[in-house]
Amino acid sequence: MRFMSVRDLRSKSAQVWQDLPSERELIITNNGRPIAILAAISESNLEESLTAFRQARAVEAVASLQRKSADQGTNNLTVDEIDAEIRAVRKGRK
């Protein structure tokens, strides 16, 4: 897997598009930090690629929520405590 800065991407974009099918993936960085992934796809695997990408994002979102819950100490709530929290929020919306 190759890393490339945004600046290099701008100046060498023709080379990137030429090399991407064989490299399969390219990580784009900004100030040394990863910000995007370029992945080679084709018309034949477009839908499958989008589905896999969306599933990966959903898994990461759930993992992030679980980490946040653990950090806040809310990962050990009982069902009754969860129900009480839901009732309180709903009551506040009325």
Side-chain angles (χ1 to χ4, degrees):
M1 184 176 334
R2 198 170 103 197
F3 288 74
M4 176 177 276
S5 70
V6 171
R7 179 180 295 167
D8 287 342
L9 177 60
R10 276 191 292 240
S11 65
K12 301 174 184 175
S13 62
Q15 186 67 41
V16 168
W17 305 133
Q18 183 179 347
D19 294 347
L20 191 58
S22 63
E23 295 215 17
R24 308 273 305 143
E25 298 156 350
L26 178 65
I27 307 300
I28 305 302
T29 63
N30 188 24
N31 294 323
R33 303 178 86 167
I35 60 166
I37 299 171
L38 285 179
I41 61 168
S42 66
E43 289 182 39
S44 64
N45 72 1
L46 174 61
E47 288 301 321
E48 293 85 359
S49 295
L50 281 172
T51 298
F53 177 72
R54 289 173 178 150
Q55 286 175 339
R57 288 179 75 179
V59 166
E60 174 52 32
V62 169
S64 176
L65 289 171
Q66 289 173 330
R67 285 190 300 272
K68 192 175 191 180
S69 176
D71 290 346
Q72 294 174 345
T74 57
N75 58 326
N76 294 319
L77 292 175
T78 66
V79 173
D80 290 336
E81 291 170 323
I82 293 169
D83 288 340
E85 185 69 26
I86 291 170
R87 281 192 300 278
V89 169
R90 287 180 178 165
K91 185 177 181 180
R93 288 183 180 169
K94 292 181 180 178

